[in-house]
């Protein structure tokens, strides 16, 4: 069970243990496991983008050297990553 999906779908849940969820009073919260398993993190693209962006030093190096081709390549590489992992 993905605890992150439980917390996103059930805001009253404050604790999960294995496949069970509980509210602030310790009451068990019934979960729709189909919904929990189908949930997709709307912010997952952020980590994927961050892992694939080129290093910022490539851009800065191009600026320092006034190398417009290097700057343009950096921008193109960043835009390619954004296209590969669009916002949800």
């Amino acid at each position: 069970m993905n605890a992150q999906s439980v917390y996103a779908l059930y805001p009253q849940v404050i604790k999960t243990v294995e496949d069970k969820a509980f509210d602030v009073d310790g009451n068990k919260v019934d979960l729709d496991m189909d919904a929990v398993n189908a949930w997709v993190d709307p912010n997952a693209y952020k980590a994927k983008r961050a892992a694939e962006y080129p290093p910022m030093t490539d851009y800065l190096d191009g600026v320092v050297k006034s190398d417009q081709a290097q700057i343009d390549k950096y921008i193109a590489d960043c835009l390619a990553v954004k296209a590969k992992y669009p916002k949800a």
Side-chain angles (χ1 to χ4, degrees):
M1 176 177 71
N2 180 352
Q4 185 179 7
S5 62
V6 173
Y7 294 127
L9 296 171
Y10 299 92
Q12 73 274 26
V13 170
I14 63 158
K15 178 180 175 184
T16 60
V17 178
E18 296 178 5
D19 62 345
K20 296 175 182 68
F22 302 92
D23 66 15
V24 70
D25 297 319
N27 299 317
K28 185 177 176 196
V29 176
D30 291 327
L31 303 176
D32 176 354
M33 291 310 292
D34 289 336
V36 169
N37 292 329
W39 184 80
V40 176
D41 182 359
N43 294 310
Y45 74 94
K46 292 177 184 179
K48 291 176 181 176
R49 282 183 180 183
E52 290 197 31
Y53 278 137
M56 290 177 54
T57 53
D58 292 355
Y59 176 79
L60 294 174
D61 185 54
V63 170
V64 169
K65 296 186 305 188
S66 296
D67 184 344
Q68 191 60 46
Q70 184 175 349
I71 294 169
D72 292 343
K73 179 181 181 331
Y74 177 86
I75 293 170
D77 291 348
C78 287
L79 292 174
V81 171
K82 286 180 180 286
K84 184 176 180 181
Y85 302 111
K87 290 182 179 179

PDB file of all heavy atoms in Angstrom, residues 48-65:
ATOM      1  N   LYS A  48      11.482  13.600 -11.315  1.00  0.00           N
ATOM      2  CA  LYS A  48      11.984  13.055 -12.582  1.00  0.00           C
ATOM      3  C   LYS A  48      12.738  14.127 -13.369  1.00  0.00           C
ATOM      4  O   LYS A  48      13.799  13.859 -13.941  1.00  0.00           O
ATOM      5  CB  LYS A  48      10.830  12.493 -13.407  1.00  0.00           C
ATOM      6  CG  LYS A  48      10.229  11.249 -12.796  1.00  0.00           C
ATOM      7  CD  LYS A  48       9.036  10.773 -13.595  1.00  0.00           C
ATOM      8  CE  LYS A  48       8.414   9.537 -12.963  1.00  0.00           C
ATOM      9  NZ  LYS A  48       7.202   9.111 -13.667  1.00  0.00           N
ATOM     10  N   ARG A  49      12.179  15.340 -13.388  1.00  0.00           N
ATOM     11  CA  ARG A  49      12.853  16.434 -14.086  1.00  0.00           C
ATOM     12  C   ARG A  49      14.189  16.747 -13.423  1.00  0.00           C
ATOM     13  O   ARG A  49      15.208  16.893 -14.096  1.00  0.00           O
ATOM     14  CB  ARG A  49      11.994  17.698 -14.070  1.00  0.00           C
ATOM     15  CG  ARG A  49      10.859  17.699 -15.055  1.00  0.00           C
ATOM     16  CD  ARG A  49      10.150  19.028 -14.982  1.00  0.00           C
ATOM     17  NE  ARG A  49       9.034  19.120 -15.916  1.00  0.00           N
ATOM     18  CZ  ARG A  49       8.294  20.206 -16.079  1.00  0.00           C
ATOM     19  NH1 ARG A  49       8.536  21.287 -15.365  1.00  0.00           N
ATOM     20  NH2 ARG A  49       7.306  20.211 -16.954  1.00  0.00           N
ATOM     21  N   ALA A  50      14.170  16.872 -12.117  1.00  0.00           N
ATOM     22  CA  ALA A  50      15.382  17.251 -11.392  1.00  0.00           C
ATOM     23  C   ALA A  50      16.522  16.265 -11.657  1.00  0.00           C
ATOM     24  O   ALA A  50      17.688  16.672 -11.758  1.00  0.00           O
ATOM     25  CB  ALA A  50      15.095  17.347  -9.900  1.00  0.00           C
ATOM     26  N   ALA A  51      16.185  15.001 -11.782  1.00  0.00           N
ATOM     27  CA  ALA A  51      17.207  13.981 -12.011  1.00  0.00           C
ATOM     28  C   ALA A  51      17.817  14.066 -13.410  1.00  0.00           C
ATOM     29  O   ALA A  51      18.946  13.618 -13.622  1.00  0.00           O
ATOM     30  CB  ALA A  51      16.612  12.592 -11.794  1.00  0.00           C
ATOM     31  N   GLU A  52      17.093  14.653 -14.362  1.00  0.00           N
ATOM     32  CA  GLU A  52      17.576  14.660 -15.747  1.00  0.00           C
ATOM     33  C   GLU A  52      18.015  16.023 -16.274  1.00  0.00           C
ATOM     34  O   GLU A  52      18.587  16.100 -17.352  1.00  0.00           O
ATOM     35  CB  GLU A  52      16.497  14.077 -16.667  1.00  0.00           C
ATOM     36  CG  GLU A  52      16.317  12.593 -16.462  1.00  0.00           C
ATOM     37  CD  GLU A  52      15.570  11.923 -17.598  1.00  0.00           C
ATOM     38  OE1 GLU A  52      15.679  12.368 -18.755  1.00  0.00           O
ATOM     39  OE2 GLU A  52      14.878  10.942 -17.308  1.00  0.00           O
ATOM     40  N   TYR A  53      17.729  17.086 -15.522  1.00  0.00           N
ATOM     41  CA  TYR A  53      18.193  18.395 -15.996  1.00  0.00           C
ATOM     42  C   TYR A  53      19.714  18.407 -16.090  1.00  0.00           C
ATOM     43  O   TYR A  53      20.404  17.827 -15.254  1.00  0.00           O
ATOM     44  CB  TYR A  53      17.769  19.509 -15.041  1.00  0.00           C
ATOM     45  CG  TYR A  53      16.346  20.007 -15.222  1.00  0.00           C
ATOM     46  CD1 TYR A  53      15.552  20.253 -14.115  1.00  0.00           C
ATOM     47  CD2 TYR A  53      15.826  20.251 -16.474  1.00  0.00           C
ATOM     48  CE1 TYR A  53      14.252  20.727 -14.257  1.00  0.00           C
ATOM     49  CE2 TYR A  53      14.535  20.723 -16.630  1.00  0.00           C
ATOM     50  CZ  TYR A  53      13.760  20.962 -15.517  1.00  0.00           C
ATOM     51  OH  TYR A  53      12.483  21.423 -15.669  1.00  0.00           O
ATOM     52  N   PRO A  54      20.242  19.111 -17.094  1.00  0.00           N
ATOM     53  CA  PRO A  54      21.699  19.246 -17.165  1.00  0.00           C
ATOM     54  C   PRO A  54      22.197  20.118 -16.007  1.00  0.00           C
ATOM     55  O   PRO A  54      21.430  20.907 -15.460  1.00  0.00           O
ATOM     56  CB  PRO A  54      21.926  19.927 -18.520  1.00  0.00           C
ATOM     57  CG  PRO A  54      20.650  20.631 -18.823  1.00  0.00           C
ATOM     58  CD  PRO A  54      19.564  19.821 -18.182  1.00  0.00           C
ATOM     59  N   PRO A  55      23.453  19.993 -15.644  1.00  0.00           N
ATOM     60  CA  PRO A  55      23.962  20.813 -14.545  1.00  0.00           C
ATOM     61  C   PRO A  55      23.930  22.300 -14.897  1.00  0.00           C
ATOM     62  O   PRO A  55      24.232  22.690 -16.032  1.00  0.00           O
ATOM     63  CB  PRO A  55      25.401  20.329 -14.348  1.00  0.00           C
ATOM     64  CG  PRO A  55      25.693  19.394 -15.448  1.00  0.00           C
ATOM     65  CD  PRO A  55      24.442  19.094 -16.192  1.00  0.00           C
ATOM     66  N   MET A  56      23.576  23.133 -13.919  1.00  0.00           N
ATOM     67  CA  MET A  56      23.495  24.574 -14.148  1.00  0.00           C
ATOM     68  C   MET A  56      24.860  25.163 -14.500  1.00  0.00           C
ATOM     69  O   MET A  56      24.931  26.220 -15.132  1.00  0.00           O
ATOM     70  CB  MET A  56      22.920  25.269 -12.921  1.00  0.00           C
ATOM     71  CG  MET A  56      21.451  24.966 -12.711  1.00  0.00           C
ATOM     72  SD  MET A  56      20.746  25.707 -11.213  1.00  0.00           S
ATOM     73  CE  MET A  56      21.160  27.400 -11.423  1.00  0.00           C
ATOM     74  N   THR A  57      25.905  24.470 -14.102  1.00  0.00           N
ATOM     75  CA  THR A  57      27.246  24.966 -14.427  1.00  0.00           C
ATOM     76  C   THR A  57      27.471  25.012 -15.936  1.00  0.00           C
ATOM     77  O   THR A  57      28.249  25.847 -16.412  1.00  0.00           O
ATOM     78  CB  THR A  57      28.324  24.099 -13.754  1.00  0.00           C
ATOM     79  OG1 THR A  57      28.097  22.727 -14.082  1.00  0.00           O
ATOM     80  CG2 THR A  57      28.301  24.268 -12.243  1.00  0.00           C
ATOM     81  N   ASP A  58      26.786  24.162 -16.694  1.00  0.00           N
ATOM     82  CA  ASP A  58      26.901  24.215 -18.158  1.00  0.00           C
ATOM     83  C   ASP A  58      26.400  25.559 -18.679  1.00  0.00           C
ATOM     84  O   ASP A  58      27.006  26.165 -19.561  1.00  0.00           O
ATOM     85  CB  ASP A  58      26.107  23.083 -18.809  1.00  0.00           C
ATOM     86  CG  ASP A  58      26.694  21.716 -18.551  1.00  0.00           C
ATOM     87  OD1 ASP A  58      27.778  21.624 -17.946  1.00  0.00           O
ATOM     88  OD2 ASP A  58      26.049  20.725 -18.955  1.00  0.00           O
ATOM     89  N   TYR A  59      25.287  26.015 -18.125  1.00  0.00           N
ATOM     90  CA  TYR A  59      24.717  27.309 -18.522  1.00  0.00           C
ATOM     91  C   TYR A  59      25.646  28.444 -18.108  1.00  0.00           C
ATOM     92  O   TYR A  59      25.980  29.321 -18.914  1.00  0.00           O
ATOM     93  CB  TYR A  59      23.342  27.492 -17.895  1.00  0.00           C
ATOM     94  CG  TYR A  59      22.723  28.833 -18.184  1.00  0.00           C
ATOM     95  CD1 TYR A  59      22.120  29.097 -19.404  1.00  0.00           C
ATOM     96  CD2 TYR A  59      22.746  29.848 -17.231  1.00  0.00           C
ATOM     97  CE1 TYR A  59      21.549  30.333 -19.675  1.00  0.00           C
ATOM     98  CE2 TYR A  59      22.188  31.081 -17.482  1.00  0.00           C
ATOM     99  CZ  TYR A  59      21.591  31.322 -18.700  1.00  0.00           C
ATOM    100  OH  TYR A  59      21.035  32.537 -18.976  1.00  0.00           O
ATOM    101  N   LEU A  60      26.065  28.419 -16.849  1.00  0.00           N
ATOM    102  CA  LEU A  60      26.923  29.493 -16.346  1.00  0.00           C
ATOM    103  C   LEU A  60      28.241  29.563 -17.105  1.00  0.00           C
ATOM    104  O   LEU A  60      28.748  30.659 -17.389  1.00  0.00           O
ATOM    105  CB  LEU A  60      27.171  29.314 -14.851  1.00  0.00           C
ATOM    106  CG  LEU A  60      25.937  29.481 -13.968  1.00  0.00           C
ATOM    107  CD1 LEU A  60      26.268  29.139 -12.524  1.00  0.00           C
ATOM    108  CD2 LEU A  60      25.389  30.889 -14.081  1.00  0.00           C
ATOM    109  N   ASP A  61      28.797  28.412 -17.448  1.00  0.00           N
ATOM    110  CA  ASP A  61      30.025  28.383 -18.219  1.00  0.00           C
ATOM    111  C   ASP A  61      29.814  29.056 -19.571  1.00  0.00           C
ATOM    112  O   ASP A  61      30.671  29.819 -20.040  1.00  0.00           O
ATOM    113  CB  ASP A  61      30.496  26.940 -18.391  1.00  0.00           C
ATOM    114  CG  ASP A  61      31.836  26.836 -19.076  1.00  0.00           C
ATOM    115  OD1 ASP A  61      32.805  27.476 -18.591  1.00  0.00           O
ATOM    116  OD2 ASP A  61      31.932  26.111 -20.084  1.00  0.00           O
ATOM    117  N   GLY A  62      28.678  28.788 -20.184  1.00  0.00           N
ATOM    118  CA  GLY A  62      28.369  29.417 -21.466  1.00  0.00           C
ATOM    119  C   GLY A  62      28.217  30.920 -21.343  1.00  0.00           C
ATOM    120  O   GLY A  62      28.650  31.682 -22.214  1.00  0.00           O
ATOM    121  N   VAL A  63      27.609  31.377 -20.243  1.00  0.00           N
ATOM    122  CA  VAL A  63      27.450  32.813 -20.020  1.00  0.00           C
ATOM    123  C   VAL A  63      28.818  33.472 -19.833  1.00  0.00           C
ATOM    124  O   VAL A  63      29.110  34.509 -20.439  1.00  0.00           O
ATOM    125  CB  VAL A  63      26.534  33.081 -18.793  1.00  0.00           C
ATOM    126  CG1 VAL A  63      26.549  34.545 -18.406  1.00  0.00           C
ATOM    127  CG2 VAL A  63      25.115  32.614 -19.076  1.00  0.00           C
ATOM    128  N   VAL A  64      29.655  32.872 -18.999  1.00  0.00           N
ATOM    129  CA  VAL A  64      30.975  33.442 -18.724  1.00  0.00           C
ATOM    130  C   VAL A  64      31.809  33.524 -20.005  1.00  0.00           C
ATOM    131  O   VAL A  64      32.517  34.509 -20.235  1.00  0.00           O
ATOM    132  CB  VAL A  64      31.707  32.614 -17.641  1.00  0.00           C
ATOM    133  CG1 VAL A  64      33.165  33.008 -17.522  1.00  0.00           C
ATOM    134  CG2 VAL A  64      30.999  32.762 -16.306  1.00  0.00           C
ATOM    135  N   LYS A  65      31.708  32.499 -20.846  1.00  0.00           N
ATOM    136  CA  LYS A  65      32.491  32.463 -22.090  1.00  0.00           C
ATOM    137  C   LYS A  65      31.792  33.188 -23.236  1.00  0.00           C
ATOM    138  O   LYS A  65      32.323  33.258 -24.332  1.00  0.00           O
ATOM    139  CB  LYS A  65      32.757  31.014 -22.501  1.00  0.00           C
ATOM    140  CG  LYS A  65      33.603  30.244 -21.514  1.00  0.00           C
ATOM    141  CD  LYS A  65      33.992  28.855 -21.999  1.00  0.00           C
ATOM    142  CE  LYS A  65      32.818  28.018 -22.400  1.00  0.00           C
ATOM    143  NZ  LYS A  65      33.160  26.623 -22.683  1.00  0.00           N
TER     144      LYS A  65
END
